Amino acid sequence: MQEYLSLPAGSFTFQAQATDLAGNVESSTATSSNSKSWTVTLPTTHAIITGGSSGSLYINNASIAFGAYPASASATYQCRLEVYTDSTSLWSVEDAFTACTSPQVYTGLQAGSYRFSVMLTGQDAEYAAQSTFSIDTDGPVVTITSGPATISSGGLISFVFVSEAAAYFQCRWVNVSAGTTTGSFNNCTSPAWALLIHKAQQLCRTCLHAAKPHLNACISAFSVSAV
C-alpha cells in the first residue's frame, strides 16, 4: 500500500511499475490498469500541519503543530489519532475526531505506527491534514558475528558485532577470573579490539551495549579464555 498525505489542490496521476525476478521491467506507458488519476480540491480555508513529530521516535510521546491556511485567528480544530494494525494492514482509530488546539500532545504511546489527522471544525474528514510517525521503544539486540573462543597467548584480538540500523554501541572488557572490570562502558564500533597480555590462565569477557537514543541496556556477552 502506498499512501500520500496532505496533497495540495491539483490534478495527480499515480502509476505503478513491476519488475520480475528475471529483471524484466514493465513498460513505462501509463494504462488504465497500472495508473490512476484524480483531482484534489480543498476548501478556501483548511487545516495544515506546520511541524512536530515525524519519522521514527524513540520515546513514548508525540507532539504535532498545526494551523489554518490561509491563517485564521478564529479557526477551531478537531484531531484524530489512528494506529496501524499489522494483522489487518489497516489503520484503526485510537481516538475519534475531538476538539483540539495546537500543539496536540500524546503521551504514553505504545510501540507502533501512527497517523495523525487534523481538520477545521465542521469540515468533512476528507479535508483533514495528515502526518505519520512511529514509536520504537523496543530494546535493540546485538549479535556478535566473529571473535575468538579460546586463545593460547596474549595478543591483539577483535570482536565483530551488528545490530539494527539506529543502534550505537559501548564495550568493556571483564577479567572474570580475577573478578575485575577493565574500565567502564565506552563508545565503540565494530570491530572492537583488545590487547590481552595475561600469562596465567583466566577467563575474560567482552560486554556490549547496543542502544538507541534514550535507551541503554547491556544486551549480550561473549566469553574467551586466555593462557
Side-chain angles (χ1 to χ4, degrees), residues 137-160:
T137 56
D138 295 328
V141 176
V142 64
T143 300
I144 298 175
T145 60
S146 176
T150 303
I151 60 176
S152 59
S153 63
L156 189 65
I157 62 171
S158 68
F159 294 87
V160 178

Side-chain angles (χ1 to χ4, degrees), residues 68-160:
Y69 180 84
S72 172
S74 61
T76 59
Y77 305 89
Q78 290 183 303
C79 299
R80 179 179 70 184
L81 187 65
E82 299 168 280
V83 62
Y84 188 77
T85 303
D86 291 327
S87 60
T88 62
S89 298
L90 296 172
W91 291 97
S92 302
V93 176
E94 285 281 278
D95 298 310
F97 276 107
T98 56
C100 57
T101 57
S102 180
Q104 175 66 34
V105 177
Y106 297 98
T107 60
L109 295 174
Q110 300 298 311
S113 297
Y114 292 87
R115 181 169 65 186
F116 170 79
S117 302
V118 57
M119 64 182 184
L120 294 183
T121 302
Q123 286 188 344
D124 193 278
E126 68 176 305
Y127 299 126
Q130 297 180 322
S131 67
T132 58
F133 61 90
S134 62
I135 301 292
D136 182 3
T137 56
D138 295 328
V141 176
V142 64
T143 300
I144 298 175
T145 60
S146 176
T150 303
I151 60 176
S152 59
S153 63
L156 189 65
I157 62 171
S158 68
F159 294 87
V160 178

Side-chain angles (χ1 to χ4, degrees), residues 16-26:
Q17 186 179 59
T19 302
D20 64 20
L21 293 177
N24 300 309
V25 182
E26 181 185 6

Side-chain angles (χ1 to χ4, degrees), residues 150-151 175 177-178 198-204 225-227:
T150 303
I151 60 176
N175 185 334
S177 298
H198 311 295
K199 295 182 179 179
Q201 183 177 2
Q202 50 197 306
L203 183 65
C204 298
S225 61
V227 178

